[in-house]
Amino acid sequence: MSHWLLSSMLAAALVPVGAGAATAGQAAAAADTGIPVESDLVRQKCGSCHTPGPDRMMTRISYRRASPENWELTIKRMVGIHNVALAPADARAILKYLSDHHGLAPDEVKPARWEAERRQDDFTYTADATTTQICTVCHSLGRVLTERRTKPEWDLLIAMHRGYYPGVDNQPMYQGQGFRRTRKADPAPGADNRDPAVKAVAHLSTAFPLVTPEWRAWSAAMQLPAMAGTWIVAGYERGTGPVFGEFTVTADAGAPDAFTTRTDLTIAGKKVTRAGRATVYTGFQWRGRAAADGDKGTWREVMMIERGGREMSGRWFTGAHDEIGIDVTLTKVGADPIVVGTSVLSLKAGTTQTVSIYGANLPASLTPAVVTFGSGIQVTRVAALSPGRLDADVTVAADARVGPRDVMVAGAARPQALVVYAKVDGIRVLPQSGMARVGGVVFPKQLAQFEAVGFTNGPDGKPGTADDLMLGPVDATWSVEEYTATFGDDDLQFAGAIDASGMFTPAVDGPNPERSGNRNNVGDLWVVAQHTPPGATAPLKARSYLLISVPVYMRWYGPMVDAGGEK
Amino acid sequence: MKHLKSINQKAARVERHVMHNTPAAVATAAEHDVVALQRGGPPQQPSAPHIPLGCSLVFSPGWEADRTGGTAGLCQPVERDLFDCHIGCYWPAQVPDQLNHAPDWTNKCAAAQKDWRKIDLVFP
């Protein structure tokens, strides 16, 4: 018996519910319009299992839409578990086809864009508690939000989970239940005693159906804007501050919607140049990777291109450490001058300083009169000028009104580029909750970068209210303190250390014989920042919670969706 | 600590730690942030810390954190229980499952607590 046949039989044996329900799914899907598969490659490579039906429909594939990342996971599973033989080039072509034709519309991606951008932001899905509970016991809800399926397909997804992970039926965590109802039925009349998985499918099939107005509109209108050209990068890196640079995109004739790129950035005064390549999926999802000479990790670029093609935004992060990255907005350079940001995010009333303004096509000669920051700020001199940057000497009046200011240069404007303030009323440590993972022996460490940002209380004079004005990063001295979650566990001694830039590096993985019970070097700490504003006598202090946790032994997103990366 | 009276040795130790030990500990007590497995969190997080902490990197309370968001309730060291998770298909998003993704994961590693350096990271 061939290995392939054996594994197919095993797969069929393992997923009996899935196999049976596929027929039911097909029947129901006839009413629920599927997506015809027009790609001969997909039909050929996937068709031996995904039976082609009438109207060029294929089982499963025609009734699902998903993000490139989710399609990649599926393809990897087909190769890894179902032994599909796919050449890397074919896998990339299939991924591109499915992401383009069975993909998501921009409005469908936006609410969950953090998933592909690998952000550690806080997110709560409030639309359905059962869905949140049974899905996030194991994985990010981002995987769910970047899927669209027919009702039979959602049922099959549940069946797939039951087949692959038999524990899901009764894996109650965090006061929750598994896919099955593991609590006694509520005898109250009208009580909803359905299994959690049934409730979740009822929600998912209405909240995330295959056919949506958004996809209908986007799949008809989808076309890739002219990407080639020069883009201005305005970014922000936690712990560093504003980052500016240039991004040059050249079309790559070798593959559809593919590009080569060159990145010139200035990060903390240091010039960084990277060369890369990228592919755009579904007409708006930029996936690239770039590397500089001597780069430890290749940089990933995950961005959404705005309709019209004048702007794209997202996150660039290192391949080795998803947690280290830059939030970026790129603006296409045309004929007009543009301003994308300033070197500082706030100006103190009653001070004089030089502010760098970044942009493109800035005029060759300028008088201070056409560089404006709004009321209370006077530009006394244009100190240096190039097409991409000008340095302006500014004087901020002692009685300048507190609040955000727009910066304008010869008609080009950057709204709310910076804030005028009278006094730093306090600082905050961001993120408010951070996480690191021990590592370094077997697994990479997960680092945690913190930063201290100043704020002023705003018109109401009270801290912690909506009108507080954030002033950008401030210099801070960093330390860690014990957060007594486990009494006497000496986390301070074992868990790791924070450096002068606010970067926490956890200790090594593995059991530590020096700790009681051979504990790993996990722990709970306060990350404490102190900042003394100029002229102040007492320091301002703030802190964040840091969890130093165990490694994950599965890396679901390995080599990322991109132009030509190895699969 | 105002409303609690210690009735066993461990509680007395906690009380001593909080009330009488060091200036830092006294400051800690003033901020009521001795937290363990009780519901609710420290002053900075008046409700229980929101877990998952991150949306795309951190998954479930239980693997990375206990129900309060801390490490007190974790199975420690993680290597002690790892094979049970692997064989029992528990934490399938965090630990390679023996059933499908990594049937040979433990071949090089007879006892994770001793041989943990040989554990592989799995890219499914």
Side-chain angles (χ1 to χ4, degrees):
Chain A
M1 188 182 293
S2 77
H3 188 44
W4 179 87
L5 189 58
L6 178 66
S7 66
S8 312
M9 288 171 68
L10 274 175
L14 282 172
V15 199
V17 186
T23 327
Q26 252 179 306
D32 210 347
T33 319
I35 302 169
V37 179
E38 306 289 357
S39 158
D40 289 337
L41 184 66
V42 175
R43 298 181 69 80
Q44 183 206 335
K45 295 291 179 189
C46 313
S48 56
C49 293
H50 296 281
T51 324
D55 302 325
R56 302 187 76 74
M57 297 294 166
M58 293 178 79
T59 54
R60 313 291 317 254
I61 301 170
S62 286
Y63 308 102
R64 177 201 186 195
R65 295 189 288 117
S67 64
E69 281 75 14
N70 278 3
W71 277 120
E72 182 181 26
L73 284 176
T74 303
I75 294 169
K76 281 182 178 168
R77 191 172 66 235
M78 296 304 138
V79 172
I81 294 184
H82 298 298
N83 289 358
V84 177
L86 270 186
D90 286 346
R92 284 195 290 274
I94 290 172
L95 176 61
K96 176 83 171 91
Y97 176 83
L98 293 174
S99 303
D100 285 353
H101 299 275
H102 301 237
L104 301 176
D107 287 342
E108 294 174 327
V109 171
K110 265 179 201 150
R113 59 186 298 177
W114 37 262
E115 175 76 4
E117 292 173 1
R118 303 280 185 279
R119 288 178 189 275
Q120 250 190 339
D121 297 348
D122 220 352
F123 171 78
T124 309
Y125 183 65
T126 52
D128 187 62
T130 308
T131 302
T132 304
Q133 187 197 67
I134 70 170
C135 300
T136 59
V137 159
C138 286
H139 60 72
S140 156
L141 206 66
R143 281 203 210 172
V144 183
L145 305 185
T146 47
E147 286 278 327
R148 298 293 183 279
R149 291 165 183 259
T150 58
K151 161 88 169 50
E153 257 304 314
W154 282 114
D155 281 330
L156 287 171
L157 183 79
I158 296 289
M160 180 277 277
H161 280 73
R162 284 185 159 136
Y164 283 136
Y165 313 110
V168 295
D169 265 339
N170 7 233
Q171 190 160 358
M173 276 293 155
Y174 206 33
Q175 299 179 302
Q177 304 182 84
F179 281 18
R180 278 192 320 148
R181 180 170 55 75
T182 46
R183 296 191 192 124
K184 277 187 183 169
D186 181 353
D192 188 351
N193 285 314
R194 290 175 299 167
D195 281 341
V198 175
K199 288 190 208 173
V201 167
H203 171 71
L204 293 167
S205 54
T206 46
F208 305 106
L210 180 74
V211 181
T212 62
E214 291 85 2
W215 177 248
R216 201 170 277 155
W218 180 254
S219 56
M222 178 171 74
Q223 57 174 321
L224 185 63
M227 301 301 295
T230 304
W231 299 69
I232 293 295
V233 182
Y236 188 87
E237 184 173 45
R238 181 167 286 159
T240 305
V243 172
F244 297 98
E246 211 173 80
F247 190 66
T248 313
V249 177
T250 312
D252 178 354
D257 302 339
F259 303 92
T260 54
T261 62
R262 185 190 148 87
T263 314
D264 295 285
L265 291 180
T266 306
I267 301 176
K270 212 178 107 195
K271 290 217 178 296
V272 177
T273 303
R274 299 187 193 125
R277 54 182 198 277
T279 296
V280 177
Y281 296 93
T282 340
F284 71 98
Q285 300 179 90
W286 178 281
R287 300 290 186 268
R289 56 169 66 188
D293 289 341
D295 236 3
K296 270 192 201 161
T298 302
W299 281 76
R300 324 288 204 208
E301 301 154 0
V302 175
M303 296 189 283
M304 280 182 75
I305 303 162
E306 293 300 323
R307 211 162 172 170
R310 306 309 303 172
E311 196 174 288
M312 53 180 163
S313 63
R315 186 165 179 260
W316 296 353
F317 48 93
T318 61
H321 292 281
D322 290 351
E323 66 274 21
I324 305 298
I326 306 175
D327 298 332
V328 291
T329 299
L330 275 65
T331 310
K332 184 97 180 272
V333 178
D336 298 329
I338 47 178
V339 173
V340 295
T342 47
S343 57
V344 293
L345 299 175
S346 59
L347 291 171
K348 190 174 191 303
T351 60
T352 298
Q353 59 185 293
T354 303
V355 177
S356 298
I357 301 172
Y358 293 87
N361 294 333
L362 299 177
S365 67
L366 276 177
T367 58
V370 297
V371 182
T372 55
F373 285 74
S375 70
I377 306 175
Q378 199 192 354
V379 176
T380 53
R381 188 172 72 105
V382 176
L385 179 63
S386 69
R389 171 180 161 177
L390 77 82
D391 293 349
D393 291 349
V394 299
T395 302
V396 190
D399 61 351
R401 292 257 305 271
V402 169
R405 295 290 196 282
D406 304 347
V407 172
M408 298 192 190
V409 179
R414 173 71 189 168
Q416 312 210 9
L418 40 71
V419 164
V420 171
Y421 70 99
K423 178 171 166 270
V424 180
D425 290 314
I427 61 169
R428 281 180 201 153
V429 177
L430 298 177
Q432 281 277 282
S433 298
M435 199 186 86
R437 289 180 198 274
V438 294
V441 177
V442 181
F443 310 99
K445 291 171 192 264
Q446 181 178 316
L447 312 170
Q449 174 73 57
F450 290 87
E451 70 172 354
V453 295
F455 69 89
T456 185
N457 289 339
D460 70 355
K462 292 178 193 150
T465 53
D467 72 348
D468 290 359
L469 292 168
M470 303 312 286
L471 306 176
V474 294
D475 290 334
T477 52
W478 294 95
S479 59
V480 284
E481 292 177 3
E482 180 76 44
Y483 171 114
T484 317
T486 309
F487 183 70
D489 62 354
D490 295 326
D491 290 340
L492 272 180
Q493 184 187 339
F494 294 110
I498 195 160
D499 70 11
S501 70
M503 173 75 84
F504 182 86
T505 305
V508 294
D509 49 336
N512 185 347
E514 290 176 23
R515 295 195 89 171
S516 85
N518 280 351
R519 285 173 72 79
N520 300 120
N521 291 318
V522 299
D524 314 75
L525 294 174
W526 289 115
V527 169
V528 183
Q530 293 196 62
H531 164 73
T532 310
T537 48
L540 299 167
K541 194 175 164 187
R543 62 185 187 175
S544 267
Y545 169 68
L546 172 63
L547 172 73
I548 302 104
S549 192
V550 293
V552 273
Y553 297 87
M554 296 275 272
R555 186 59 62 87
W556 288 92
Y557 300 102
M560 217 193 60
V561 175
D562 75 350
E566 289 167 16
K567 296 285 168 206
Chain B
M1 303 296 285
K2 277 186 292 193
H3 309 295
L4 294 175
K5 183 174 165 53
S6 53
I7 59 167
N8 62 16
Q9 287 188 14
K10 183 173 181 183
R13 270 202 300 152
V14 171
E15 195 172 49
R16 275 200 305 280
H17 168 79
V18 170
M19 302 307 291
H20 310 298
N21 256 5
T22 61
V26 173
T28 302
E31 291 170 20
H32 300 275
D33 69 351
V34 172
V35 286
L37 285 170
Q38 75 269 33
R39 304 301 309 276
Q44 203 163 18
Q45 293 143 316
S47 54
H50 178 239
I51 300 293
L53 282 171
C55 45
S56 54
L57 296 169
V58 187
F59 302 133
S60 173
W63 183 253
E64 280 94 357
D66 62 35
R67 57 188 288 172
T68 68
T71 59
L74 294 187
C75 175
Q76 277 289 305
V78 68
E79 288 81 0
R80 191 194 295 272
D81 202 26
L82 205 52
F83 285 3
D84 252 5
C85 305
H86 167 64
I87 293 163
C89 210
Y90 220 74
W91 303 120
Q94 288 84 359
V95 181
D97 57 287
Q98 189 192 35
L99 193 55
N100 292 300
H101 286 101
D104 306 325
W105 194 52
T106 56
N107 278 5
K108 289 182 282 182
C109 189
Q113 255 192 288
K114 283 191 291 184
D115 304 333
W116 57 272
R117 286 178 185 82
K118 297 176 189 161
I119 296 173
D120 290 328
L121 180 59
V122 170
F123 295 86

